[in-house]
Amino acid sequence: MSLLPRRPSSRTGGTDDVRPTDGSPGQDEAAGPLLRGVDLHKAFGSTAALEGASFSVSPGEIVAVMGPSGSGKSTLLHCLAGIVPPDRGSVTFDGRDVAALSDAERGALRRSAFGFVFQFGQLVPELSCRENVALPLRLNGVRRKDAERRADEWLERLEVAGVARQTPGRVSGGQGQRVAVARALATEPRVLFADEPTGALDSLNGERVMELLSGAARETGAAVVLVTHEARVAAYSDREVVVRDGRTRTTEVVA
Amino acid sequence: MSIAKTFLGLLEGGPSHGYDLKRAYDEKFGQDRPLAYGQVYATLSRLLKHGLVELDGVEQGGGPDRKRYAITDAGVADVDLWLAQPERPEQYLQTTLYAKVVLALLTDRPATDVLDTQRAEHLRTMRELTRRKTGGDLADQLVCDHALFHLEADLRWLELTAARLDQLRTEVAS
C-alpha cells in the first residue's frame, strides 16, 4: 500500500489541502505553521494548568511536548486540538481561529483534520479491530465497504492485519495500540495528536509503535503533536518543547 | 570535571585564598577525592596567566606568603560561556553537570537553563541514534539502544534535579 503522496480528493473532510504535491513539507513550512497556540492560559477551578504556553507545528513536522507529570502537557494538547477552550490566548489551525468556530464546526474539524492516539488505545470493545479503524471513516460519510477496505490497508501498514476480525479485548497491548494508531491515521489527518502513545507498553512494543507512527506520519505529511515524558519516545521527533509549571520553553544549543 | 572553571565559579562569591578554594571545592564537589595542593596552585597560576583571575593581595606571615585571588571580568565571561554550553553526552557525566548546576545556583544564574540546554543536547544525540537505529540492522539497533538507554538515564537525572532545584538552592546557600 502506498501512502505517498495523497491527493486532496482522498481527504475525508472538507478542509482545504495545502500539502505540496511532492509530499515534502518544505513548501508548507515556508508558509508558516499549520497549527499554532499563542500565550495559552487554562485553569481548572483554582488550579492553573497553563500559564502562558505557546506552541507551533508545521506540516510534516513531529514536535515532542515534554515535561514532568502535572506540568500541563495534556492540557496543552487538549487546547490545541479544540477539545477544551483556553481561558486566554489563541489557537489557529491553517490560519483559522479555532475559538471562533461553532461547536459543530470544531467537531467537524476534529473528525476530518485531526487524529488522536491516547495512552490506552480507547478502542470500542464491542467492535472488531477492523470496525474500530473504519469507524472514523464511517462517521465522515465513507461507505462501509470502502471504509473497511481502507481500514484493512491501514491495519496492514501497522503490521496488525492478522487481528482485523478480533475484538480489542482479545489482542495484546502492543497490537491494540497499533490498531489505535491505524484508526487515528485512517482519516489521513493533517495533525496527529498522540498523548503518551507508548506509555502503557514495554520497551520493544513502544519502540515499534513509535517507528510505525512516525514513519506513517512522515509518509503522509501529517504534523504530529507528541506528548511524552519519555526521552526515547521524544527522540523520534524533530524538536521538543518543554512544559514546566504551565509554561513552555524551547532551548537552542549554544554553538 | 574542570577544576579551573569550578574555581572561577567559586571566586565569583568573593576573593579567596588557594587553601579556602580547595576546602570549598572538596566540600561541594570533591566527594571522596579531595584536591591535592599541587593541583590547586597549578590551576590558580594558569588562571592568573590567562587573565581570568588576578592577585587581590598578599598576606605575609611566619610561613609562606598567602596570596588572595579575585575573578576578573574575563573570568566571569568564561564561567558564563561554560555554563551555557552543554556537555558532550557521555556516560557518567553527572559530576560535571552537578557542578554546573551548583555553581549556577551559587552565582545566581538560572540553573534551569543549564539543565534545559543539556536536555536539548542529549535529545539531539538521541535523535541521531534513533535515525541510525531505524535505518540499521540488528547490530546497529542493539548498539544504538545501549547508548540511548544510558542517555535516557542522564535525562531522568536532569528531570529529577530540575524538580529539586529549590531544595538544592537552599542547601548550597547554607
Side-chain angles (χ1 to χ4, degrees):
Chain A
M1 169 191 179
S2 172
L3 302 171
L4 282 170
R6 284 203 321 269
R7 291 189 307 275
S9 59
S10 72
R11 193 169 307 289
T12 50
T15 53
D16 295 332
D17 192 356
V18 293
R19 195 184 312 282
T21 50
D22 65 0
S24 75
Q27 294 171 35
D28 283 336
E29 277 178 350
L34 178 63
L35 178 70
R36 185 201 292 263
V38 178
D39 195 26
L40 297 172
H41 288 70
K42 181 70 190 175
F44 297 100
S46 59
T47 307
L50 293 180
E51 295 185 278
S54 295
F55 178 91
S56 69
V57 62
S58 296
E61 190 183 28
I62 301 178
V63 181
V65 180
M66 303 183 74
S69 299
S71 58
K73 301 188 297 287
S74 293
T75 306
L76 175 61
L77 181 144
H78 292 158
C79 285
L80 291 168
I83 296 170
V84 295
D87 299 333
R88 239 170 71 201
S90 67
V91 176
T92 50
F93 170 71
D94 207 9
R96 289 183 299 172
D97 181 359
V98 174
L101 301 176
S102 68
D103 284 350
E105 286 171 326
R106 238 188 334 268
L109 179 70
R110 282 200 300 271
R111 278 199 308 276
S112 62
F114 294 169
F116 296 90
V117 183
F118 298 102
Q119 183 171 358
F120 302 100
Q122 298 189 342
L123 298 168
V124 182
E126 293 81 5
L127 300 180
S128 71
C129 290
R130 174 188 291 135
E131 289 166 334
N132 264 283
V133 178
L135 187 61
L137 294 165
R138 297 280 291 138
L139 290 172
N140 280 341
V142 178
R143 291 188 319 163
R144 177 185 296 272
K145 203 172 163 189
D146 290 338
E148 295 198 343
R149 179 182 52 78
R150 282 162 64 178
D152 282 345
E153 289 172 351
W154 274 102
L155 288 169
E156 194 179 326
R157 175 74 179 80
L158 273 295
E159 300 175 351
V160 279
V163 302
R165 291 162 181 266
Q166 309 273 4
T167 52
R170 302 183 68 87
V171 305
S172 72
Q175 288 171 327
Q177 202 62 347
R178 291 187 207 186
V179 174
V181 173
R183 182 179 61 179
L185 289 169
T187 56
E188 301 185 357
R190 298 179 68 195
V191 184
L192 175 66
F193 294 93
D195 193 353
E196 304 280 7
T198 64
L201 303 178
D202 61 46
S203 294
L204 200 57
N205 271 300
E207 296 277 324
R208 195 69 193 124
V209 164
M210 278 315 299
E211 278 173 25
L212 292 166
L213 185 155
S214 57
R218 288 193 197 285
E219 279 189 58
T220 60
V224 180
V225 182
L226 171 65
V227 169
T228 183
H229 68 277
E230 290 182 75
R232 275 183 307 112
V233 173
Y236 284 88
S237 68
D238 298 307
R239 63 184 171 89
E240 75 280 2
V241 168
V242 179
V243 186
R244 191 174 297 126
D245 299 329
R247 294 188 183 87
T248 43
R249 299 172 65 97
T250 52
T251 44
E252 296 293 332
V253 174
V254 179
Chain B
M1 186 170 81
S2 168
I3 299 167
K5 308 289 185 199
T6 316
F7 275 9
L8 288 175
L10 290 171
L11 281 170
E12 276 200 43
S16 183
H17 297 98
Y19 173 77
D20 294 327
L21 279 173
K22 172 196 153 40
R23 223 177 41 182
Y25 181 99
D26 289 347
E27 189 185 304
K28 291 191 189 318
F29 311 112
Q31 289 147 359
D32 296 328
R33 297 173 58 195
L35 285 180
Y37 281 103
Q39 277 177 297
V40 173
Y41 292 105
T43 303
L44 284 169
S45 63
R46 205 168 55 247
L47 290 172
L48 197 60
K49 191 174 134 199
H50 292 138
L52 301 176
V53 299
E54 60 192 5
L55 276 184
D56 188 57
V58 181
E59 289 164 21
Q60 290 167 344
D65 293 348
R66 294 190 73 210
K67 293 176 183 166
R68 201 169 59 229
Y69 297 88
I71 191 166
T72 62
D73 288 346
V76 174
D78 201 56
V79 179
D80 273 336
L81 194 67
W82 183 57
L83 290 180
Q85 276 178 338
E87 297 298 313
R88 213 171 87 87
E90 57 192 356
Q91 270 180 262
Y92 311 119
L93 180 60
Q94 290 86 329
T95 48
T96 305
L97 277 184
Y98 174 74
K100 280 189 167 187
V101 170
V102 169
L103 284 172
L105 291 172
L106 279 173
T107 56
D108 279 334
R109 287 181 173 86
T112 313
D113 286 359
V114 174
L115 296 172
D116 281 348
T117 303
Q118 193 63 50
R119 180 198 292 106
E121 183 67 5
H122 265 62
L123 278 170
R124 195 182 61 74
T125 305
M126 290 180 78
R127 281 192 186 98
E128 280 171 19
L129 289 164
T130 302
R131 271 195 294 272
R132 187 176 141 199
K133 187 174 84 163
T134 306
D137 58 15
L138 183 58
D140 270 332
Q141 288 171 21
L142 291 172
V143 168
C144 291
D145 272 334
H146 184 261
L148 282 164
F149 279 116
H150 279 284
L151 293 169
E152 187 186 35
D154 278 351
L155 280 174
R156 285 187 180 193
W157 180 86
L158 285 178
E159 295 306 334
L160 203 65
T161 306
R164 291 174 171 172
L165 272 184
D166 287 340
Q167 196 184 341
L168 187 60
R169 184 178 287 112
T170 311
E171 288 196 11
V172 298
S174 64

